[in-house]
Amino acid sequence: MADPILRLSQLSKRFGQFVAVKDIDLAIDEGEFFTIVGPSGSGKTTLIRMLAGLEEPSGGEILLRGQRINETPANRRPTCMVFQSLALFPHRSVGQNIEFPLKMRGVPPMQRRERADELLRLLRLPEDYYGKQVSQCSGGERQRIALARALAFDPEILFFDEPLSAIDFRLRKTLEKELKDLHRETGKTFIYITHSLEEAMVMSDRIGIMRAGELVQVGAPDEIYSRPANRFVSEFMGEVNVLEVKPNGAGLHCPALGATLQGPSDPGGQSDFAGGYLVIRPEYLRFLGPGETAENQVEGVLYNEYALGSRIQYQVRVGEAVFLVEKLREQRYEGQLDDRVVIGWEARDSVLAPE
Ligand code: ATP
């Protein structure tokens, strides 16, 4: 395996007494799409700003191909940042925006134009957009222009600071895929931050989850999905069913249900699980008809249903506990609100998470 392009060792940032980033150790491989996910205030921006050279670390080291770059200013690092605001010049043409970094480096006009045309093609923007004013472009087009301009620097690493957060849902979904395609086409290292684990899942090779300045889990999307390191990570994955449990001789005792449940026989990294949470995704729950059984089953009342595009989500109340069940429209529950229903799931479809 080649050496990582970036290695962070005990990297920290303090603002006065406040520790915004705490002792981060991480290696990012060349060509990787690495996403840092965390709630607001968890330190994502501070971390990425240190990597880009916009903020000086208070402690630890940043190594670029083995060389310490803590003190290297942003403009002398082979990296470029795409901001949420995009920071385009609205009253200049698309071409002028894309060529800006090349102009700053003294690249002659002919070569700049060639590179701009190449980037327009790469970002699937019409060639005649070269002369169009940025203020006349749509949100999605501006996004692509900002990407083209970042690539014009020909950086080795591209940093993205929530570039899609202000964009509406449908377009964002399209751009997420385009960004992943662009990553493939350019082969560059992408380091991306977002507060949406869902967005991270679509694009990333690996994801690092941040909480209060620390990395609480690093792994491939599948790993994070199926083996969340703790409750915080599992709840970050969106709407999931989380039950507090403690092992007893027969399985996992769940006080909220007053029942013993069966957990996964492959406990992931949790072979010494001493108590914590059983996590079940809503799509793994099903309504059980007469005569149907599941390894875990509970009886409750269908409280409400919500249409989610191709799927329907149901809220089932079991005593004090609330379960979310999700079904494709074709598998919808045929019945009425306030029906007594039995829902169930297989032990292998649940995961254990310690606190
Ligand atoms: P968001 O998703 O809201 O952008 P974030 O995860 O990117 O959040 P940061 O912007 O890195 O979080 O901020 C982490 C913490 O550090 C916050 O509590 C913030 O108030 C604090 N912080 C950031 N910059 C400074 C600064 N220059 N001076 C003092 N505190 C700061």
Side-chain angles (χ1 to χ4, degrees), residues 15 18 20-21 38-47 55 161-162 193 195:
F15 296 108
F18 181 75
V21 172
S40 188
S42 56
K44 309 179 294 292
T45 306
T46 306
L47 175 61
E55 195 86 67
D161 186 355
E162 303 226 25
I193 63 177
H195 55 265

Side-chain angles (χ1 to χ4, degrees), residues 6-237:
L6 265 188
R7 187 184 286 282
L8 322 183
S9 156
Q10 293 290 295
L11 191 66
S12 308
K13 180 69 188 180
R14 283 184 297 278
F15 296 108
Q17 294 293 312
F18 181 75
V19 183
V21 172
K22 193 175 171 207
D23 302 336
I24 293 206
D25 289 312
L26 179 68
I28 294 175
D29 289 324
E30 179 107 48
E32 198 173 10
F33 196 136
F34 191 94
T35 303
I36 299 157
V37 189
S40 188
S42 56
K44 309 179 294 292
T45 306
T46 306
L47 175 61
I48 208 171
R49 283 174 60 84
M50 288 194 280
L51 304 186
L54 302 168
E55 195 86 67
E56 213 177 302
S58 317
E61 269 194 328
I62 308 171
L63 303 176
L64 176 75
R65 297 190 206 289
Q67 300 287 323
R68 180 183 159 105
I69 56 162
N70 285 38
E71 291 80 24
T72 310
N75 60 4
R76 297 200 30 231
R77 295 188 189 191
T79 61
C80 182
M81 176 103 104
V82 179
F83 295 95
Q84 182 183 342
S85 67
L86 304 183
L88 293 168
F89 306 116
H91 301 299
R92 301 257 179 91
S93 70
V94 171
Q96 283 170 322
N97 270 276
I98 297 176
E99 288 182 15
F100 176 72
L102 303 172
K103 200 170 168 187
M104 297 303 285
R105 285 187 189 168
V107 177
M110 283 271 285
Q111 277 178 31
R112 295 203 304 253
R113 175 70 199 244
E114 251 172 52
R115 180 73 179 136
D117 285 342
E118 210 177 281
L119 289 164
L120 285 172
R121 279 196 296 279
L122 180 66
L123 273 304
R124 299 185 191 91
L125 285 160
E127 216 158 301
D128 59 5
Y129 268 44
Y130 183 87
K132 188 168 178 168
Q133 194 166 305
V134 166
S135 61
Q136 294 166 348
C137 295
S138 72
E141 289 164 354
R142 285 181 205 199
Q143 193 66 47
R144 295 189 191 109
I145 299 162
L147 282 168
R149 188 183 57 181
L151 287 165
F153 283 98
D154 204 20
E156 292 183 56
I157 305 176
L158 269 100
F159 294 110
F160 298 90
D161 186 355
E162 303 226 25
L164 305 183
S165 60
I167 290 176
D168 76 74
F169 181 80
R170 283 184 82 113
L171 181 58
R172 196 166 72 230
K173 292 284 141 207
T174 309
L175 292 172
E176 283 169 5
K177 290 190 191 146
E178 284 186 14
L179 212 52
K180 187 165 186 181
D181 293 346
L182 187 70
H183 174 250
R184 237 199 116 170
E185 281 159 42
T186 59
K188 294 190 184 290
T189 306
F190 281 23
I191 302 179
Y192 193 98
I193 63 177
T194 174
H195 55 265
S196 160
L197 186 54
E198 211 183 324
E199 185 171 310
M201 293 270 182
V202 175
M203 302 186 290
S204 321
D205 296 317
R206 275 192 311 156
I207 296 172
I209 310 239
M210 270 188 98
R211 176 195 203 177
E214 295 183 81
L215 270 181
V216 293
Q217 188 171 10
V218 175
D222 265 3
E223 232 172 291
I224 297 215
Y225 190 88
S226 56
R227 297 179 181 187
N230 53 33
R231 178 182 182 150
F232 172 80
V233 175
S234 61
E235 288 192 335
F236 219 80
M237 290 189 293

